[in-house]
Amino acid sequence: MSFGEYLKSCRLSSGQTQKDLAEKAGVTIPYISKLERGKEEPPSEETCIKLAAALNEDPYIMIVKAGKMPSDFQQVILNDQDAFNYLKRKSKARLAQGGN
């Protein structure tokens, strides 16, 4: 599922129009429309957080669906060797199983 499809699904599930979402997230209606149609690159982390709040969704999921890594996740990975090693093991195991 693309980011746009995910965003539209969340918006429809919340019963909001593009106008509602745009107003709550502080963006324009055309921007929401372009995102949903895949005509705009996925938004920044900051905009993902605003969209998630407007949709009552998990901001971390929204950021990851946008193809980005939350900045606080990056800090944990860079500063916590145990967390880094865990993720590295999980990633290697998934690759070994033929996962994406």
Side-chain angles (χ1 to χ4, degrees), residues 71-89:
S71 58
D72 52 342
F73 282 21
Q74 291 175 9
Q75 290 306 310
V76 168
I77 292 167
L78 291 171
N79 296 308
D80 184 331
Q81 191 64 42
D82 290 336
F84 176 81
N85 290 336
Y86 171 79
L87 290 172
K88 187 175 173 182
R89 280 193 312 275

Side-chain angles (χ1 to χ4, degrees), residues 47-64:
T47 301
C48 284
I49 291 168
K50 291 176 183 178
L51 290 168
L55 293 165
N56 200 29
E57 293 289 328
D58 184 323
Y60 292 113
I61 298 295
M62 184 76 63
I63 294 165
V64 171

Side-chain angles (χ1 to χ4, degrees), residues 6-49:
Y6 169 73
L7 180 64
K8 185 174 183 176
S9 174
C10 291
R11 180 180 60 77
L12 293 175
S13 293
S14 72
Q16 295 185 58
T17 64
Q18 288 182 343
K19 181 181 180 201
D20 296 332
L21 177 55
E23 287 175 356
K24 288 180 181 177
V27 298
T28 66
I29 298 166
Y31 182 66
I32 296 294
S33 177
K34 287 177 185 176
L35 284 174
E36 289 184 354
R37 292 181 290 122
K39 302 295 183 187
E40 183 76 40
E41 291 294 315
S44 68
E45 181 175 340
E46 180 181 339
T47 301
C48 284
I49 291 168

